[in-house]
Amino acid sequence: MTRTRPRTLSTSEERRDTVLRTAVETFASRGYYGTTTTEVATRAGISQAYVYRLFPNKEALFLAVVEHAFDLVRDSLARGAAAAASTDPELVLRAMADSYAELISDQNLILVQLHAQAAAAAEPTVREAVRAGYARVVEYVRSVSGASEPQVQNFFAVGMLCHLIVAIDASSVDAPWARVLSAGIKHV
């Protein structure tokens, strides 16, 4: 006699998480404009109608992906701050940067961030989501690190440079321009 385990249905929240993780991968590869909810549904193994039960439209799904990305960034920065060897603002920022460097080794996350910033230029709701995400992260970094405004600004400027270096794989290019951009920048 063959026994089968009772089938366990996933909860709506589990399905939402699955769709969100799948959407991160899909939007990372094709961007906001190039991704359809049909693609996300297919990759997630659910119907498009179910995607729409969880997210009313593609824009809402993308905004959830953007918020998720900022949550991951904030969590990474928190891990870095917790690992800091001192409360000196520069050391806290360095520990946060090291933790973030590990995070952006995930190609999907960095691509979602880049696509979100690009879409923000033309899509007001995406722009507001990106602004809100940066507002949360900047205020978190400022309050936890104790750094001055110029230090926080430099932290984010170097972070954007890291995005560029990783996005164009500048560290693999043996040319003066690439060495200038990458000099002193540590990333995984």
Side-chain angles (χ1 to χ4, degrees), residues 3 14 19 28 41 44 67 81 90 93 102 105 110 122 142 150 157 166 173:
R3 286 191 149 174
E14 289 169 338
V19 170
E67 185 174 331
E90 282 298 325
L93 290 174
E102 289 178 32
S105 65
I110 194 166
R142 190 182 59 71
V166 171
V173 177

Side-chain angles (χ1 to χ4, degrees), residues 69 72-73 76-77 79 96-114 117 134 158-167 185-188:
L72 292 174
V73 169
S76 172
L77 296 173
R79 283 190 303 278
M96 291 171 125
D98 289 345
S99 182
Y100 183 71
E102 289 178 32
L103 180 69
I104 65 168
S105 65
D106 175 354
Q107 266 318 95
N108 286 334
L109 179 64
I110 194 166
L111 286 170
V112 162
Q113 291 177 316
L114 293 170
Q117 290 169 11
Y134 272 107
V158 171
M160 291 296 151
L161 181 56
C162 287
H163 280 199
L164 175 64
I165 291 167
V166 171
I185 302 295
K186 177 183 165 188
H187 55 84
V188 179

Side-chain angles (χ1 to χ4, degrees), residues 21-178:
R21 282 192 312 276
T22 303
V24 167
E25 295 170 12
T26 310
F27 282 117
S29 67
R30 300 191 31 103
Y32 177 67
Y33 297 107
T35 299
T36 66
T37 55
T38 301
E39 290 173 284
V40 174
T42 301
R43 284 186 175 188
I46 62 174
S47 70
Q48 184 180 23
Y50 198 82
V51 170
Y52 283 125
R53 284 183 62 203
L54 299 170
F55 301 94
N57 53 42
K58 180 174 95 167
E59 179 181 74
L61 177 57
F62 188 69
L63 295 176
V65 165
V66 169
E67 185 174 331
H68 174 70
F70 276 107
D71 289 345
L72 292 174
V73 169
R74 195 225 174 260
D75 292 347
S76 172
L77 296 173
R79 283 190 303 278
S86 162
T87 58
D88 176 81
E90 282 298 325
L91 294 178
V92 174
L93 290 174
R94 188 171 308 137
M96 291 171 125
D98 289 345
S99 182
Y100 183 71
E102 289 178 32
L103 180 69
I104 65 168
S105 65
D106 175 354
Q107 266 318 95
N108 286 334
L109 179 64
I110 194 166
L111 286 170
V112 162
Q113 291 177 316
L114 293 170
H115 285 302
Q117 290 169 11
E123 300 293 333
T125 56
V126 176
R127 183 179 314 121
E128 285 306 313
V130 172
R131 282 179 181 170
Y134 272 107
R136 286 192 323 269
V137 173
V138 168
E139 285 307 310
Y140 178 77
V141 168
R142 190 182 59 71
S143 67
V144 170
S145 69
S148 67
E149 288 183 8
Q151 288 172 309
V152 172
Q153 181 187 44
N154 186 64
F155 175 80
F156 280 91
V158 171
M160 291 296 151
L161 181 56
C162 287
H163 280 199
L164 175 64
I165 291 167
V166 171
I168 65 173
D169 196 18
S171 60
S172 72
V173 177
D174 186 23
W177 69 266

Side-chain angles (χ1 to χ4, degrees), residues 4-10 15:
T4 59
R5 282 190 279 169
R7 185 171 175 214
T8 305
L9 298 176
S10 59
R15 283 274 175 100

